[in-house]
Amino acid sequence: MAITYPYPVSFLADRLNIETVTWDIKRNDELSGSGDSRIWQAELAAPLWTGDVTLNVGYHDDLKQIAALIRKLHGAQEQFFLYDPLSKYPQLDPTGSILGASAVRVNSVGTGGRTISLRGLPAGYVLTLSDKMQIAYASSPIRNAFLEVSDLIVTADGSGATGQFEIFPNVPTGVAANDIVTLAKPACKVFIMPTSHNPGSASGLMTTGATFKVMEKR
């Protein structure tokens, strides 16, 4: 079987038995300041999502297979899709059963990309502060946006459309109306940070201490 990149969620992310995770961002800012505590900040590039992952203790064969898939990424050369295990589904739909097979799409993007509206949701569907979403956009290649809700509550109307709501980070240039939005296991396209992969140590019947760090690839 030919391996394709980036790995889809089912190929690696769904196989990970994660014990702990730190899901955060890396800002790309230039800072300067003065002696009276004034700070000037210039955003040189969009913030990038990062993840610091520790896997649970597991049987040798299971952890060996995970390590083999990570090695096949050739360091930071190839990417895979990884979701935040704490944000697999919107908070008020923790199993995704309400969302079901809804075909959610971008309705419109606000000025400057600070806000977005969606359509195709179940009537009255609710998104909550920190819920995640994945948007596939552009072509040749298809690109990926990974965003989180910044408003406290977002409720779809009777037709399944929302009003404009704040998100983080800003919507990338190129995202447009009708682009597909994923709310069930929304995933970020990431790469393994150099030298961060530890396949774990074998002891008795189990392997422990498997870890890796990732960063978003835009």
Side-chain angles (χ1 to χ4, degrees):
M1 180 187 72
I3 291 178
T4 59
Y5 303 102
Y7 290 167
V9 161
S10 59
F11 195 70
L12 179 55
D14 279 346
R15 300 183 62 167
L16 299 175
N17 185 2
I18 294 176
E19 179 183 21
T20 65
V21 62
T22 301
W23 196 263
D24 203 356
I25 62 157
K26 178 182 183 301
R27 296 199 59 86
N28 296 289
D29 298 333
E30 183 176 70
L31 300 172
S32 59
S34 61
D36 58 358
S37 301
R38 287 179 293 172
I39 299 293
W40 291 269
Q41 174 180 312
E43 187 174 270
L44 303 182
L48 297 174
W49 292 97
T50 63
D52 192 339
V53 176
T54 299
L55 301 183
N56 271 308
V57 176
Y59 291 109
H60 300 318
D61 287 351
D62 294 337
L63 272 297
K64 284 194 304 182
Q65 290 181 20
I66 295 300
L69 291 176
I70 290 176
R71 284 191 286 267
K72 189 61 176 175
L73 291 165
H74 302 287
Q77 179 177 319
E78 303 291 351
Q79 295 87 51
F80 67 105
F81 282 105
L82 179 66
Y83 51 80
D84 176 2
L86 302 179
S87 305
K88 292 171 65 173
Y89 303 99
Q91 293 163 76
L92 295 184
D93 184 14
T95 65
S97 59
I98 302 172
L99 183 67
S102 300
V104 184
R105 294 183 179 269
V106 174
N107 191 40
S108 63
V109 177
T111 302
R114 288 177 56 91
T115 62
I116 197 170
S117 68
L118 306 180
R119 61 178 176 81
L121 293 160
Y125 196 80
V126 178
L127 297 174
T128 308
L129 177 67
S130 83
D131 284 346
K132 305 297 191 294
M133 71 182 75
Q134 174 187 355
I135 303 175
Y137 68 101
S139 60
S140 300
I142 296 174
R143 302 179 72 85
N144 187 74
F146 186 75
L147 310 172
E148 73 177 359
V149 176
S150 296
D151 276 2
L152 292 176
I153 293 289
V154 179
T155 306
D157 62 20
S159 67
T162 73
Q164 290 284 329
F165 59 91
E166 295 269 348
I167 46 80
F168 177 87
N170 288 354
V171 181
T173 301
V175 173
N178 211 41
D179 285 338
I180 295 172
V181 179
T182 299
L183 296 173
K185 294 183 182 178
C188 186
K189 187 169 72 172
V190 299
F191 63 92
I192 298 289
M193 294 285 286
T195 73
S196 73
H197 177 222
N198 179 351
S201 300
S203 177
L205 298 176
M206 312 298 281
T207 294
T208 63
T211 61
F212 60 86
K213 297 180 181 180
V214 297
M215 181 178 290
E216 180 180 8
K217 176 69 174 180
R218 290 200 167 198

